[in-house]
Amino acid sequence: MAASFAEGTTIMRGLQELRVKESDRLEATAAMLRVNGIKVEIAGDDLIVEGRGHVPGGGLVATHMDHRIAMSALVMGLASRQAGPRSTTPPPSPTSFSGFHPDDALAGVLSFA
């Protein structure tokens, strides 16, 4: 997600471990970036992101009930140019970061379709 705010190409290699978590996080991350206006490619287990220095935002993100995808979309929405991304499902209970709860301060950043 951070690479989408950089300018130029970022290549992250050897991400095979992301495919065997709560969801296929490699595919889910690429899809999240695509629907929010970022050019991204998966080559084997590598993620290639073409950063534009900004994220247009506003896309519908499928979280696959994965808390990390939901949190990434929320954080991306805070800095996106358009209204933040929308999610197909509410975020599951925070697992990795127990203090993370979307609240009134984040209202409108990640909405649920």
Side-chain angles (χ1 to χ4, degrees):
M1 186 269 301
S4 60
F5 289 96
E7 292 190 14
T9 303
T10 301
I11 301 172
M12 293 162 265
R13 298 190 186 280
L15 303 177
Q16 63 272 11
E17 182 67 19
L18 296 178
R19 293 188 180 276
V20 294
K21 297 297 184 181
E22 288 82 349
S23 68
D24 181 339
R25 289 181 177 158
L26 184 56
E27 288 288 345
T29 298
M32 174 185 66
L33 295 175
R34 279 187 200 106
V35 299
N36 284 286
I38 299 302
K39 183 179 175 189
V40 61
E41 177 184 345
I42 295 175
D45 291 321
D46 300 343
L47 183 66
I48 304 162
V49 178
E50 297 294 333
R52 299 170 27 184
H54 69 277
V55 172
L60 182 61
V61 175
T63 64
H64 306 282
M65 294 303 292
D66 187 323
H67 62 285
R68 291 187 190 246
I69 300 301
M71 288 191 302
S72 294
L74 181 61
V75 171
M76 183 174 61
L78 290 170
S80 295
R81 287 193 169 174
Q82 296 180 29
R86 296 170 295 129
S87 172
T88 57
T89 56
S93 299
T95 303
S96 318
F97 181 27
S98 61
F100 182 88
H101 296 283
D103 59 16
D104 293 338
L106 301 174
V109 174
L110 179 64
S111 60
F112 305 103

